[in-house]
Amino acid sequence: MNEEKKSLNFLEQIIEEDLTNGLPKEKLRFRFPPEPNGYLHIGHAASICLNFGLGLKYNAPVNLRFDDTNPAKEEQEYVDAIKHDISWLGFKWDKELYSSNYFQQLYDWAVELIKEGKAYVDNQTSEEMAIQKGTPTEAGTNSPNRNRPIEENLDLFLQMKNGELAEGSHVLRAKIDMGHVNMHMRDPIMYRILKKYHHRTGNDWCIYPMYDWTHGESDYIEQISHSICTLEFKSHRDLYDWYIEQVYDPTKLKPKQREFARRNLSYTVMSKRKLLQLVEEGIVTGWDDPRMPTISGLRRRGYTPASIRNFSDTAGISKRDNVTDVALLEFCIKDDLNKTAPRVMAVLNPVKVVITNYPEGKEEFLEASYNDYEEGFGSRAVPFSREIYIEKEDFREEANKKFFRLKLGKEVRLKNAYIIKAESCLKDENGEVTEIHCTYDEDSRSGSGSEASKRKVKGTLHWVSIKHAIKAEVRVYDRLFTDEAPDGHKDKDFKEFINPNSLQVIDAFVEPSLQNANILDRFQFQRLGYFCVDKDTSKNKLIFNRTVPLRDSWTKKEK
Ligand code: ATP
Ligand code: MG
């Protein structure tokens, strides 16, 4: 194998083989097939990046196909959100399609199958059918309706379609083999009666096709060359092939289903059913709650499209089930924001500092670069005055040599400003420091070029001028679950592992340049982490979400 082949993932290798065996390159076509019954999550992002990535790599079209065969759970809201998320991730689909576009074609084909004696109407109860299904090691038994005359099947199927039969009373089944080793081949259900309004076809239909019947035929209709799905469908592949075989025209392309392992992420749940529970039970504020593993939640949290694409690529695809460490996702966003986010100052846990030798009433606007290490970020003026806030944790009356922050009798540099020295402090009745009195070295202003400005002191602190600072709400998020695999416990519900402290709301002070920040703007708050403007922000109230801290407090907590 040459070097290039070796670096291909197993799906790319399959495609390369097909091309070598004569599949014309222009026949390559992929699809991403979401069911519009919830918002997309980081697992879907794996499938999106994979399918659209193949499209880009082979210059092949990728369809967005809504797999909308279950009217009970599907809604237009989800369709809109899914389209928005895929576009936001940076991908363009070729055609926007819906399985429901094919309801008539699927119906016509089903009638053909009945005529060929390959499908029949069964009116047993689901319990009866379940018993006849057999087990993985025992063959099933034939339904007493299996040999119903073709005419009667056609008539009953028409009655099903016309709404003349009750929901749950009849199904259409493919007549394959009740003794097949693959249980999916034991006369699977093709249609059920559901008298439900469909978000696209309205009340046109009261029978709806099952997933397997729909999916393979939709791939065939769209001439998808490689239909990539997750591992749980591996055992459906026989049925996928059988259904396509029934309608196959040899001048056309036969789609190929191949499977890869789902993306699982530690410390979260990913199934839409469970995410919906979190939303409906008010455990989170919505699908886009910044603690959710949804694309919309991650976006609101401050994640960039590039970080999610990079995460998907780095985690890669696998043939076996596995769990990806959420730390990798956090690494990817830190890595991106480290390069792209402007750096500003905010104080989350303030204590007042009075610079006693700084003239009262004086204010200065100090030039401060948005990034000291990279060109091109520009700068802003940061106001300085006699009274400032620093973080409470950045001051101690006494501390050992390793404490490079402010302590009595010692100096630190204020970022972009002066060197100050702590002289004394005031405390309340509980011994808590309420005010620190410092002096400053007038000649030490950063960037002034003076000898004192070049003086090395060990610590540099961020700060805001009290008179100029803006109050902001900061929402500090922690993982939503305390357990690495919340839905991996047989005897416990995943909700038992909800982290009660996953949201902390803080009144913070931020530098005035942030006054005009827009929703979704991202910043590094120096020495603290990455933050992004939340959509709840209004004219009178700035709200930030913490995307990730600079350092990972979680691993420290665990040790
Ligand atoms: P869920 O179990 O979360 O409800 P789903 O498989 O029912 O997911 P679909 O809307 O049917 O969700 O998925 C659309 C596509 O995304 C499918 O091809 C599916 O295989 C893929 N997909 C869904 N979840 C994941 C995941 N965790 N990792 C990788 N691909 C996924
Ligand atoms: Mg599904």
Side-chain angles (χ1 to χ4, degrees):
M1 223 189 271
N2 63 29
E3 277 308 306
E4 200 184 326
K5 276 256 164 82
K6 259 191 236 165
S7 65
L8 298 178
N9 67 43
F10 72 94
L11 291 169
E12 290 166 341
Q13 285 179 21
I14 291 170
I15 294 168
E16 294 289 337
E17 245 172 67
D18 290 339
L19 292 174
T20 308
N21 293 335
L23 176 70
K25 193 161 176 283
E26 56 280 5
K27 293 249 159 134
L28 288 178
R29 185 180 278 275
F30 308 96
R31 91 285 173 260
F32 173 66
E35 182 179 353
N37 63 347
Y39 282 59
L40 297 179
H41 50 59
I42 188 75
H44 292 113
S47 174
I48 292 169
C49 291
L50 173 63
N51 283 294
F52 284 93
L54 288 170
L56 289 170
K57 179 172 173 134
Y58 293 102
N59 194 21
V62 183
N63 286 348
L64 169 59
R65 182 196 318 137
F66 290 98
D67 193 4
D68 58 346
T69 53
N70 186 356
K73 292 186 188 160
E74 295 159 4
E75 289 171 31
Q76 186 62 36
E77 175 200 343
Y78 298 135
V79 169
D80 297 338
I82 289 169
K83 284 163 64 178
H84 179 58
D85 286 348
I86 298 171
S87 301
W88 179 77
L89 280 173
F91 297 109
K92 283 202 179 74
W93 54 87
D94 182 40
K95 298 198 182 81
E96 176 185 334
L97 298 164
Y98 294 79
S99 295
S100 56
N101 296 354
Y102 313 134
F103 281 172
Q104 185 62 47
Q105 172 70 82
L106 291 168
Y107 176 80
D108 293 343
W109 275 335
V111 169
E112 286 306 308
L113 286 192
I114 296 174
K115 286 183 182 161
E116 291 167 20
K118 289 175 178 168
Y120 61 98
V121 173
D122 204 344
N123 59 335
Q124 296 184 94
T125 63
S126 47
E127 291 77 19
E128 284 167 330
M129 287 191 272
I131 294 169
Q132 292 158 5
K133 197 99 209 199
T135 68
T137 51
E138 266 172 84
T141 46
N142 287 348
S143 161
N145 300 311
R146 199 169 196 265
N147 292 321
R148 198 191 287 279
I150 289 174
E151 281 312 313
E152 207 178 306
N153 282 322
L154 287 172
D155 184 49
L156 281 171
F157 191 45
L158 189 63
Q159 288 183 43
M160 281 170 68
K161 176 185 182 259
N162 290 342
E164 291 159 22
L165 301 172
E167 220 172 86
S169 66
H170 293 69
V171 292
L172 184 74
R173 299 176 72 176
K175 194 171 180 177
I176 308 179
D177 180 359
M178 289 304 290
H180 203 289
V181 286
N182 182 342
M183 293 198 40
H184 293 290
M185 298 293 273
R186 297 181 188 172
D187 291 10
I189 295 175
M190 295 172 70
Y191 277 93
R192 74 263 203 233
I193 302 171
L194 269 180
K195 296 187 174 171
K196 293 248 160 56
Y197 179 85
H198 185 282
H199 71 108
R200 287 182 65 84
T201 57
N203 293 318
D204 289 356
W205 294 89
C206 57
I207 52 171
Y208 288 95
M210 301 297 287
Y211 172 85
D212 291 297
W213 171 237
T214 313
H215 206 89
E217 310 312 271
S218 303
D219 285 341
Y220 176 67
I221 293 169
E222 294 175 19
Q223 289 287 280
I224 302 301
S225 61
H226 296 82
S227 174
I228 299 164
C229 59
T230 39
L231 279 183
E232 70 273 22
F233 291 103
K234 192 162 189 151
S235 59
H236 295 238
R237 205 203 278 176
D238 288 338
L239 183 55
Y240 178 94
D241 291 340
W242 190 89
Y243 278 141
I244 291 179
E245 198 59 54
Q246 306 316 307
V247 302
Y248 179 59
D249 161 357
T251 63
K252 293 216 167 137
L253 172 146
K254 200 182 276 183
K256 188 178 244 185
Q257 175 187 299
R258 288 296 178 269
E259 309 82 12
F260 74 107
R262 265 174 186 267
R263 169 89 65 246
N264 298 303
L265 196 62
S266 62
Y267 292 99
T268 193
V269 295
M270 211 94 97
S271 123
K272 280 185 274 187
R273 189 174 54 78
K274 289 178 183 155
L275 295 176
L276 181 64
Q277 266 185 60
L278 296 174
V279 173
E280 284 185 337
E281 293 174 25
I283 295 167
V284 294
T285 56
W287 285 98
D288 70 347
D289 186 299
R291 292 165 292 185
M292 290 281 269
T294 50
I295 306 293
S296 50
L298 291 167
R299 172 169 58 237
R300 188 168 168 193
R301 177 85 171 246
Y303 277 74
T304 57
S307 68
I308 295 176
R309 291 196 306 261
N310 189 25
F311 167 72
S312 294
D313 289 350
T314 309
I317 59 158
S318 162
K319 285 189 196 182
R320 273 180 236 294
D321 282 322
N322 61 83
V323 179
T324 306
D325 190 341
V326 67
L328 178 63
L329 182 63
E330 292 164 351
F331 169 80
C332 289
I333 186 59
K334 269 188 263 190
D335 187 49
D336 190 10
L337 293 177
N338 179 42
K339 294 176 206 142
T340 56
R343 299 170 186 200
V344 296
M345 294 196 284
V347 175
L348 300 196
N349 186 19
V351 63
K352 182 173 172 179
V353 173
V354 181
I355 301 163
T356 52
N357 59 340
Y358 193 88
E360 262 180 74
K362 178 173 173 179
E363 55 182 29
E364 284 178 84
F365 287 85
L366 306 171
E367 192 65 9
S369 168
Y370 280 118
N371 185 329
D372 290 340
Y373 308 96
E374 298 280 340
E375 296 288 318
F377 277 81
S379 63
R380 80 285 186 199
V382 178
F384 186 77
S385 65
R386 191 169 191 263
E387 295 185 347
I388 62 171
Y389 286 131
I390 63 167
E391 301 286 349
K392 263 192 191 138
E393 306 81 82
D394 282 341
F395 174 74
R396 283 190 207 159
E397 288 180 80
E398 285 172 45
N400 66 24
K401 281 196 184 123
K402 284 189 185 144
F403 187 77
F404 294 136
R405 295 173 261 173
L406 191 61
K407 53 190 165 187
L408 289 181
K410 298 286 179 194
E411 291 186 323
V412 290
R413 173 168 290 285
L414 294 174
K415 179 81 190 159
N416 303 311
Y418 297 96
I419 293 173
I420 57 168
K421 181 174 171 190
E423 308 285 356
S424 62
C425 65
L426 306 179
K427 288 189 267 188
D428 64 14
E429 62 272 25
N430 304 319
E432 237 195 271
V433 174
T434 53
E435 199 170 299
I436 307 159
H437 289 178
C438 295
T439 51
Y440 86 121
D441 175 350
E442 192 182 347
D443 293 328
S444 65
R445 184 163 58 80
S446 299
S448 67
S450 69
E451 278 310 305
S453 76
K454 292 175 195 152
R455 198 145 62 77
K456 287 267 177 280
V457 285
K458 275 269 162 58
T460 300
L461 305 187
H462 61 275
W463 54 274
V464 291
S465 161
I466 295 180
K467 183 177 155 199
H468 305 90
I470 310 169
K471 258 196 186 161
E473 176 178 315
V474 173
R475 298 175 181 171
V476 174
Y477 297 103
D478 199 350
R479 292 175 185 166
L480 189 51
F481 294 94
T482 53
D483 191 84
E484 216 172 324
D487 52 6
H489 300 260
K490 280 206 185 76
D491 48 343
K492 283 190 176 146
D493 187 69
F494 74 102
K495 282 180 288 174
E496 289 184 38
F497 300 100
I498 296 276
N499 176 2
N501 303 313
S502 63
L503 169 62
Q504 195 194 346
V505 178
I506 291 176
D507 284 324
F509 292 93
V510 302
E511 60 167 77
S513 72
L514 292 171
Q515 183 69 70
N516 298 318
N518 294 312
I519 288 167
L520 285 185
D521 280 355
R522 308 175 185 95
F523 299 93
Q524 183 191 102
F525 287 178
Q526 280 172 320
R527 299 179 62 234
L528 297 174
Y530 295 100
F531 296 77
C532 144
V533 182
D534 189 73
K535 70 169 191 189
D536 289 345
T537 288
S538 64
K539 258 212 168 110
N540 309 321
K541 192 171 186 191
L542 253 180
I543 302 172
F544 288 92
N545 295 316
R546 187 177 76 182
T547 312
V548 264
L550 281 183
R551 273 167 290 277
D552 186 358
S553 59
W554 192 270
T555 40
K556 262 190 262 155
K557 248 187 259 174
E558 279 179 331
K559 270 173 201 159

